[in-house]
Amino acid sequence: MSEINSYEIVIGLEVHAQLLTKSKLFCGDSIAFGAEPNTHVSPITLAHPGTLPKMNKKAIEFAVRMGLACHCEIEQHNYFARKNYFYPDLPKGYQVSQHTTPICKGGIVTIKTASGNKNIRLNRIHMEEDAGKSLHDVDADNTCIDYNRAGTPLLEIVTEPDIRSADEAFAYVSEIRKLVRYLEICDGNMEEGSLRCDANVSVRKKGEIKLGTRVEVKNLNSIRNVKRAIEFEAKRLTGLLEKGEPVIQQTRSFDADNGTTFAIRDKEDADDYRYFADPDLTPFQLDDHFIETIRSAIPALPDERIKKYIEQYKLPEYDAQVLTEEKEVSDYFEKIVQHTSNYKAASNWLLGPVKSWLNENAKEISDFPLQPEKLAALIKLVDSGKVNFSVASTRLFSYVLNDPSKDPEKIAKEQNLVQQSDTSVLEPVIDRVLEKYADKVAEYKKGKKGLLSLFVGEVMKQSKGQADPKITSEMILKKLSA
Amino acid sequence: MVEKLAHLSRLRFNDAEKEEIKNDLQRMIAFVEKLNELDLDGVEPLLHMSDEVNVLREDEIKGSISREEALKNAPLHDEHFFKVTKVIKNPKS
């Protein structure tokens, strides 16, 4: 085993993020997912002769937004190049890509690891168009092609080989997904392919400076699979080195069913893509004013929000982390705290009852029926002592969810959920309980103090949960010590 | 060289054609080599024939054609898809 530990895994990741534009990169076809095959196509997408592509302005804005969020240098003089190769899903016979002159250079993405924060350096972020989709299992004799996806704008985000473990890769892709969703430039849906990841993996002896021969693993359609594929590859490559066998530079695909990878092509002869500037597209230039306009419109990102939640709202770091995992949850939280200053209660409600409800119903916060101010109203009911938290978060919560437009306090009154703190009402109930449990009262007086909770519980039960537990317990204590 | 270019372009030539293409290529290279006579230090490559920059469009959906029209000129198709010879030998069975 010690031998295994003397190797180091070196990983570089390429993430492709499909931009949330309405139309394609160079023409006006819709990029909506799930349409009937070959219905989002135009003569430009299909590369008919004489057609002229025209660049989508929004895509540039999105690319710059991502670049600024990752602290990249923004290239002001840009052009697109053609990457030439033949494949049926590529109608033009070339892919239009900024491969040679990326719009964003350098940059950093900070990830959280077991041993603290780590900066992953970016090599570049560039724009390119997606290819169509080949379907091999529809027709026994032919490959079927759907060109709906062809021409969809992608951002390719490429790291330096700074990632050293499957866990770091997991953290990195999670961070990228979070970023693109906060920036509202990509929906981050890996199952539908809006976010895709290829991993370049190599293994070398610790202390060695030269990189080992790398393999590229494709088809990683979830963050978990990125981790699984790298774990498998690391073991396989280390095994090869252990046995003194050569690593072949190749492209491999991940099989999610059994957690292994298999070779899809060897890269023995280097690809010859013959890049050159696309004469159909004019260069485009970005001035400082344009870049600053985009910078000023970037929404508060997770790190900034975490800082605010901890410093300004005095929330524990854990709460701040979880609340900012998803932008929509964080946005919802910020709306609640516009109506209440009990920040911790707002966090507890969101991370407790609301989250459980979303999980149970397999819904997202965007589907949550309750307006943030109604949740704030629930918090106020609890804070004022009118309803206790356990009743509020269970019975009242479900009544309110059934009638989300109604005032929660009204519902609480109608359903008799308002807490009883009137001692004159509680007194006879307590007396009844203590009479019923006379033997337990005797035990209590002999020193079995734990029985207090039994009495309180019984009073709660008899009052159908309406008794204020704090006042009840104080009253019982007083009576028993009399 | 000719064979490599032919492969990249997915074209096939017989020997006579190869010879002819070789001559053509040599003439082209000789022509382009004339550029080496110029001092191009500090001259940026010309990326585009016009001086136009930032020819951009708004992000709007328009210009798509019907599937029927899209498939009409394809040599091989059905009512949904373009079709080509199978590109992978053993799809997952």
Side-chain angles (χ1 to χ4, degrees), chain A residues 393-414:
Chain A
S393 63
T394 51
R395 291 165 60 198
L396 180 56
F397 188 51
S398 65
Y399 286 125
V400 171
L401 282 169
N402 283 334
D403 197 354
S405 57
K406 207 166 175 177
D407 176 26
E409 183 164 1
K410 224 177 194 171
I411 297 178
K413 280 183 184 147
E414 281 170 15

Side-chain angles (χ1 to χ4, degrees), chain B:
Chain B
M1 179 70 173
V2 174
E3 266 159 30
K4 191 185 171 198
L5 287 175
H7 172 71
L8 286 171
S9 321
R10 300 293 184 273
L11 294 170
R12 213 173 286 153
F13 301 110
N14 63 33
D15 287 347
E17 286 168 331
K18 274 186 200 161
E19 198 50 38
E20 202 180 318
I21 286 165
K22 199 173 134 197
N23 289 335
D24 279 350
L25 280 174
Q26 267 159 356
R27 280 206 301 279
M28 285 183 227
I29 290 164
F31 173 73
V32 174
E33 261 171 2
K34 253 193 143 12
L35 290 177
N36 286 342
E37 294 167 16
L38 298 170
D39 177 12
L40 296 175
D41 278 355
V43 178
E44 290 289 318
L46 177 69
L47 292 173
H48 203 258
M49 289 308 290
S50 81
D51 293 333
E52 297 259 12
V53 289
N54 296 9
V55 181
L56 308 173
R57 40 174 275 274
E58 296 301 321
D59 182 24
E60 290 162 355
I61 296 173
K62 60 179 179 189
S64 295
I65 54 174
S66 72
R67 176 155 66 190
E68 199 186 355
E69 283 177 285
L71 294 166
K72 197 167 72 183
N73 294 322
L76 195 59
H77 65 90
D78 61 17
E79 62 271 38
H80 298 111
F81 293 105
F82 293 86
K83 294 194 173 192
V84 296
T85 315
K86 262 227 182 326
V87 288
I88 56 170
K89 281 184 201 105
N90 296 309
K92 238 180 174 182
S93 48

Side-chain angles (χ1 to χ4, degrees), chain A residues 405-425:
Chain A
S405 57
K406 207 166 175 177
D407 176 26
E409 183 164 1
K410 224 177 194 171
I411 297 178
K413 280 183 184 147
E414 281 170 15
Q415 301 294 339
N416 271 326
L417 297 175
V418 175
Q419 198 158 250
Q420 193 49 264
S421 48
D422 185 339
T423 49
S424 64
V425 177

Side-chain angles (χ1 to χ4, degrees), chain A residues 309 313 315 323 328-338 343-344 346-347 350:
Chain A
Y309 294 178
Y313 298 161
L315 292 182
L323 285 171
E328 290 74 13
V329 174
S330 169
D331 286 346
Y332 192 95
F333 172 77
E334 305 223 332
K335 282 186 198 136
I336 307 176
V337 300
Q338 281 172 11
Y343 308 117
K344 182 60 181 142
S347 170
L350 259 186

Side-chain angles (χ1 to χ4, degrees), chain A residues 413-465:
Chain A
K413 280 183 184 147
E414 281 170 15
Q415 301 294 339
N416 271 326
L417 297 175
V418 175
Q419 198 158 250
Q420 193 49 264
S421 48
D422 185 339
T423 49
S424 64
V425 177
L426 288 173
E427 186 133 26
V429 184
I430 292 173
D431 287 343
R432 265 206 314 277
V433 167
L434 295 184
E435 216 171 292
K436 184 177 164 196
Y437 288 104
D439 51 337
K440 302 282 180 200
V441 171
E443 280 180 44
Y444 177 90
K445 287 191 170 159
K446 276 186 207 148
K448 224 172 163 189
K449 301 293 178 200
L451 284 167
L452 177 64
S453 57
L454 170 86
F455 304 137
V456 176
E458 191 59 26
V459 173
M460 296 296 293
K461 209 163 128 194
Q462 299 221 0
S463 68
K464 296 202 174 66

Side-chain angles (χ1 to χ4, degrees), chain A residues 74-89:
Chain A
I74 308 297
E75 173 62 61
Q76 301 204 325
H77 305 280
N78 292 273
Y79 70 90
F80 278 97
R82 292 183 179 180
K83 175 181 180 177
N84 298 280
Y85 66 95
F86 276 108
Y87 206 73
D89 62 15

Side-chain angles (χ1 to χ4, degrees), chain A residues 40-92:
Chain A
H40 292 168
V41 294
S42 62
I44 296 176
T45 294
L46 298 173
H48 283 223
T51 54
L52 207 55
K54 206 171 170 188
M55 173 77 195
N56 185 337
K57 206 164 135 188
K58 201 87 202 165
I60 301 178
E61 289 178 27
F62 284 178
V64 172
R65 216 184 273 178
M66 184 66 179
L68 291 173
C70 297
H71 319 285
C72 303
E73 181 195 334
I74 308 297
E75 173 62 61
Q76 301 204 325
H77 305 280
N78 292 273
Y79 70 90
F80 278 97
R82 292 183 179 180
K83 175 181 180 177
N84 298 280
Y85 66 95
F86 276 108
Y87 206 73
D89 62 15
L90 192 70
K92 295 189 290 291

